[in-house]
């Protein structure tokens, strides 16, 4: 079975400071990894994904994440955050096979402080 | 990119009535669709998985007679909340998957409030 752990439920950070949101996963098979962002009362928007290839993945809005197989991690980073980045961020994992759905972490609330 | 729509985006209903939520894949064929439920400030909880033309597979603890799922075509799945009660109030999000490349695309969600 797959699982995702987001180590921080809330992360406050000052505007223009860097941020890292942590995600660890467990899986016995090869995985696909995703980060989604959710703004209040909205659905999920895909930030970036790792399917294969380069372990450093760049996404939208200046975010990037690095897949580390040995540490089973897929941490999300941004070098300089904006007020508009305040939202809930979800890490998710999928084996990509058949009917297996995405398994989500519990989410990390990023609060950017002016 | 792949787009998934949900309708309605927001609904209020009285206790005891039924509500139907539609989920459509607009520009691709969704072999599999998923329904999630999200409580305030919490993560998404998978309710059920449905494949076109077959019965949905429900997660443990989800009442299949209360949450009826129909996946009649490759572009449409519906979730009907029957005899709704206030505790069914939640944010319902559908997701659709293409056969390749195994990504899930999410709808914008439906806010259900049962009074």
């Amino acid at each position: 079975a797959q699982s995702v752990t987001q180590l921080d439920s809330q992360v406050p950070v000052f505007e223009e400071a860097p941020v890292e949101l942590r995600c660890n996963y467990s899986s016995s098979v090869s995985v696909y990894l995703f980060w989604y962002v959710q703004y209040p009362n909205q659905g999920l928007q895909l930030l970036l994904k790792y399917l294969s290839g380069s372990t450093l993945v760049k996404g939208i809005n200046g975010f990037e994440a690095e897949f580390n197989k040995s540490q089973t991690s897929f941490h999300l980073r941004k070098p300089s955050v904006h007020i508009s980045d305040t939202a809930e961020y979800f890490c998710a994992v999928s084996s990509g096979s058949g009917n297996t759905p995405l398994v989500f972490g519990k989410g990390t609330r990023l609060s950017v402080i002016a | 990119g792949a787009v998934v729509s949900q309708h309605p985006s927001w609904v209020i209903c009285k206790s005891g009535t039924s509500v139907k939520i539609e989920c459509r894949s607009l520009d691709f064929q969704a072999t599999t669709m998923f329904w999630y439920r999200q409580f305030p400030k919490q993560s998404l909880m998978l309710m059920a998985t449905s494949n076109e033309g077959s019965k949905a597979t429900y997660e443990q603890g989800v009442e299949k007679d209360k949450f009826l799922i129909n996946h009649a075509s490759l572009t449409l799945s519906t979730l009907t909340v029957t005899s709704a009660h206030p505790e069914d109030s939640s944010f319902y999000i559908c997701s659709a998957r293409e056969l390749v490349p195994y990504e899930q695309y999410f709808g914008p969600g439906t806010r259900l409030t049962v009074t």
Side-chain angles (χ1 to χ4, degrees):
Chain A
Q2 299 165 318
S3 67
V4 176
T5 301
Q6 291 185 244
L7 296 164
D8 306 298
S9 59
Q10 296 186 59
V11 173
V13 62
F14 285 104
E15 192 174 18
E16 297 183 3
V19 69
E20 178 179 81
L21 305 183
R22 297 180 292 170
C23 172
N24 287 87
Y25 69 93
S26 66
S27 176
S28 58
V29 297
S30 297
V31 295
Y32 301 148
L33 293 156
F34 305 82
W35 274 98
Y36 289 87
V37 60
Q38 185 180 35
Y39 299 100
N41 296 310
Q42 295 187 30
L44 275 69
Q45 180 181 7
L46 180 66
L47 276 177
L48 48 79
K49 62 191 177 191
Y50 171 78
L51 303 180
S52 65
S54 173
T55 57
L56 182 62
V57 180
K58 293 189 182 297
I60 62 172
N61 301 342
F63 285 93
E64 65 179 31
E66 185 155 19
F67 170 58
N68 188 319
K69 188 174 182 179
S70 63
Q71 297 187 5
T72 60
S73 68
F74 191 56
H75 300 333
L76 180 71
R77 297 191 291 260
K78 186 170 182 177
S80 176
V81 295
H82 302 288
I83 296 290
S84 58
D85 292 323
T86 296
E88 192 81 22
Y89 291 80
F90 293 98
C91 180
V93 62
S94 170
S95 68
S97 63
N99 292 337
T100 309
L102 282 173
V103 175
F104 285 89
K106 292 189 174 182
T108 297
R109 173 73 179 174
L110 174 63
S111 297
V112 181
I113 305 162
Chain B
V3 178
V4 176
S5 70
Q6 273 184 251
H7 178 79
S9 57
W10 176 75
V11 58
I12 299 176
C13 71
K14 292 187 176 181
S15 186
T17 61
S18 295
V19 173
K20 179 183 284 188
I21 303 170
E22 291 187 349
C23 176
R24 294 181 184 274
S25 57
L26 299 184
D27 50 3
F28 67 99
Q29 292 186 328
T31 54
T32 305
M33 286 188 170
F34 307 93
W35 286 94
Y36 293 84
R37 182 174 182 177
Q38 186 180 34
F39 291 104
K41 300 186 186 301
Q42 294 189 27
S43 188
L44 281 73
M45 180 190 76
L46 180 67
M47 299 174 66
T49 301
S50 72
N51 292 293
E52 183 262 341
S54 57
K55 290 184 178 181
T57 302
Y58 291 81
E59 295 299 300
Q60 190 173 8
V62 178
E63 298 175 61
K64 62 181 181 180
D65 294 330
K66 181 170 188 58
F67 298 100
L68 300 178
I69 292 172
N70 185 296
H71 192 163
S73 75
L74 285 172
T75 59
L76 174 64
S77 176
T78 60
L79 167 67
T80 301
V81 182
T82 62
S83 187
H85 291 285
E87 57 265 31
D88 299 324
S89 298
S90 190
F91 195 52
Y92 292 88
I93 302 175
C94 76
S95 176
R97 166 174 283 169
E98 285 185 289
L99 188 59
V100 177
Y102 304 114
E103 289 190 47
Q104 279 183 232
Y105 303 98
F106 288 84
T110 296
R111 173 74 60 193
L112 170 64
T113 301
V114 184
T115 62

